[in-house]
Amino acid sequence: MEKIIKDDFDLNVIANSGQCFRFNQSADGYYKIVAFNKVLNIKNLGKDTFDLDCSKEDFDNIWSDYFDLNTNYSKIRKSVKDNPFLMECATSSIGMRMLKQDIWEMTVSFIISQRKSIPAIKTSIERLCELCGDKINDTDYAFPTPIQILSTDAGKLSSCGLGYRLSYILSAAETFYSNPSYVADLKKLDDESLFEELKKMQGVGDKVASCIALFGFHRLNFFPKDVWINRALEEHFPNGFDMNLYAPYNGVIQQYIFYAYRNSHK
DNA sequence: ACTCAGGTATCCT
DNA sequence: AGGATACCTGAG
């Protein structure tokens, strides 16, 4: 189906924003996204027209929400002013959106992310999905559920290159599986309480908890600080970054900085 | 072969 | 509370 999307929506920017690991360029300008047990192939046909290989039902029920199409991102982007560095970041990040991704998948993905390069993270995640996720089609596998991971031989799980993170993942799987209302309960918490609760999981510190809150719970004011963000802040905000200026959208600003700074320094 | 990677837990002071 | 150090393993 074809869809017109007027707001900020650049597939390449989103794919390289670091918020997603199963959203990659494939052939002919298409981007393949695996999420919520589905595969979507999407391509920009020019201007604001996109081709998506999904039904209207799946678009309305899954992808529209996944892309957060009800939020006006160009408005947030245009709110960036006064600071030349931030304005440059926002300009080079035109098309950025904050995806509404699965909370469990974000938890595992960002636990895996610690001390790994992005290509290595993607490799580990794909191996894990192939090992114990549901088969979606000939080549793609869904992200495994907590019980699917808990039911898989630990030796085989190790073959996904998880290293010392494996025990963290098993512990998180146990937390999600043994408490069916875990996610629903966390959703009720305010940002600060959510942050503290997430950090109770093994292997979840400040940075990973911020990522889970921002990319999974869609709490747009979280501002994860990784090595790239820290370098950018040291260089451009020696006196500290004022988290009051862009609240409640600090997380969107973080994505602009991450995307722009990383892509111009690697 | 060697370094470093979207950090965190643990052990210090 | 804040600083130093070890940690699995793959990608360049």
Side-chain angles (χ1 to χ4, degrees), chain A residues 13 25 30 45 65 70 76 83 98 107 113 118 131 177 187 199 202 223 225 233 236 239:
Chain A
V13 170
Q25 186 163 22
Y30 276 90
L45 299 176
D65 191 56
N70 290 322
I76 298 172
N83 184 299
M98 305 302 293
T107 302
S113 78
I118 290 178
L131 178 64
Y177 177 68
K187 282 182 178 175
K199 286 201 294 180
Q202 281 288 303
F223 192 102
K225 288 179 179 171
L233 293 187
H236 296 279
N239 301 317

Side-chain angles (χ1 to χ4, degrees), chain A residues 104 146-147 149-150 168-180:
Chain A
W104 162 245
I147 189 61
I149 289 179
L150 291 172
Y168 300 156
I169 292 167
L170 291 174
S171 169
E174 184 61 33
T175 298
F176 276 69
Y177 177 68
S178 64
N179 184 354

Side-chain angles (χ1 to χ4, degrees), chain A residues 75-76 79-81 86 191 214 219-223 241-254 256:
Chain A
K75 186 178 175 182
I76 298 172
S79 75
V80 176
K81 50 196 169 192
L86 285 185
D191 283 3
L214 178 60
R219 301 293 179 91
L220 296 184
N221 207 37
F222 276 88
F223 192 102
F241 183 80
D242 185 356
M243 292 292 173
N244 294 311
L245 286 178
Y246 296 101
Y249 297 118
N250 282 314
V252 185
I253 305 302
Q254 187 269 4
Y256 294 156

Side-chain angles (χ1 to χ4, degrees), chain A residues 23-36:
Chain A
F23 186 138
N24 297 293
Q25 186 163 22
S26 51
D28 305 324
Y30 276 90
Y31 286 77
K32 182 168 85 175
I33 302 163
V34 187
F36 297 105

Side-chain angles (χ1 to χ4, degrees), chain A residues 24-245:
Chain A
N24 297 293
Q25 186 163 22
S26 51
D28 305 324
Y30 276 90
Y31 286 77
K32 182 168 85 175
I33 302 163
V34 187
F36 297 105
N37 303 310
K38 300 270 186 179
V39 178
L40 176 70
N41 290 287
I42 177 171
K43 175 182 183 176
N44 185 346
L45 299 176
K47 294 188 178 177
D48 46 16
T49 306
F50 293 82
D51 177 52
L52 300 83
D53 70 341
C54 67
S55 63
K56 182 182 186 319
E57 187 183 8
D58 275 358
F59 182 82
D60 292 339
N61 294 335
I62 299 174
W63 302 114
S64 175
D65 191 56
Y66 172 82
F67 290 121
D68 194 24
L69 292 181
N70 290 322
T71 299
N72 186 336
Y73 283 93
S74 63
K75 186 178 175 182
I76 298 172
R77 173 171 52 80
K78 288 169 186 167
S79 75
V80 176
K81 50 196 169 192
D82 300 331
N83 184 299
F85 172 69
L86 285 185
M87 291 173 73
E88 190 183 317
C89 289
T91 301
S92 44
S93 302
I94 294 176
M96 182 72 74
R97 307 188 72 75
M98 305 302 293
L99 303 173
K100 295 171 89 166
Q101 302 182 79
D102 179 72
I103 289 167
W104 162 245
E105 180 173 335
M106 291 302 100
T107 302
V108 176
S109 297
F110 283 98
I111 286 175
I112 290 174
S113 78
Q114 58 186 264
R115 294 301 297 179
K116 270 183 179 292
S117 64
I118 290 178
I121 298 165
K122 290 181 176 179
T123 300
S124 280
I125 291 174
E126 290 312 312
R127 283 191 199 164
L128 183 62
C129 294
E130 284 178 34
L131 178 64
C132 52
D134 286 338
K135 195 173 175 65
I136 303 174
N137 59 38
D138 287 344
T139 53
D140 301 304
Y141 294 82
F143 197 86
T145 62
I147 189 61
Q148 283 178 319
I149 289 179
L150 291 172
S151 311
T152 301
D153 180 69
K156 290 182 179 174
L157 287 169
S158 291
S159 71
C160 299
L162 303 173
Y164 61 87
R165 305 162 193 81
L166 176 56
S167 64
Y168 300 156
I169 292 167
L170 291 174
S171 169
E174 184 61 33
T175 298
F176 276 69
Y177 177 68
S178 64
N179 184 354
S181 68
Y182 182 67
V183 170
D185 292 341
L186 292 182
K187 282 182 178 175
K188 297 173 189 164
L189 301 176
D190 61 28
D191 283 3
E192 193 179 344
S193 307
L194 173 64
F195 187 60
E196 294 306 318
E197 279 303 313
L198 289 172
K199 286 201 294 180
K200 289 180 181 174
M201 285 190 279
Q202 281 288 303
V204 177
D206 288 358
K207 195 272 178 180
V208 170
S210 300
C211 288
I212 299 169
L214 178 60
F215 306 130
F217 287 84
H218 203 66
R219 301 293 179 91
L220 296 184
N221 207 37
F222 276 88
F223 192 102
K225 288 179 179 171
D226 53 63
V227 292
W228 293 101
I229 290 291
N230 284 331
R231 285 173 200 160
L233 293 187
E234 282 174 26
E235 190 175 326
H236 296 279
F237 299 91
N239 301 317
F241 183 80
D242 185 356
M243 292 292 173
N244 294 311
L245 286 178

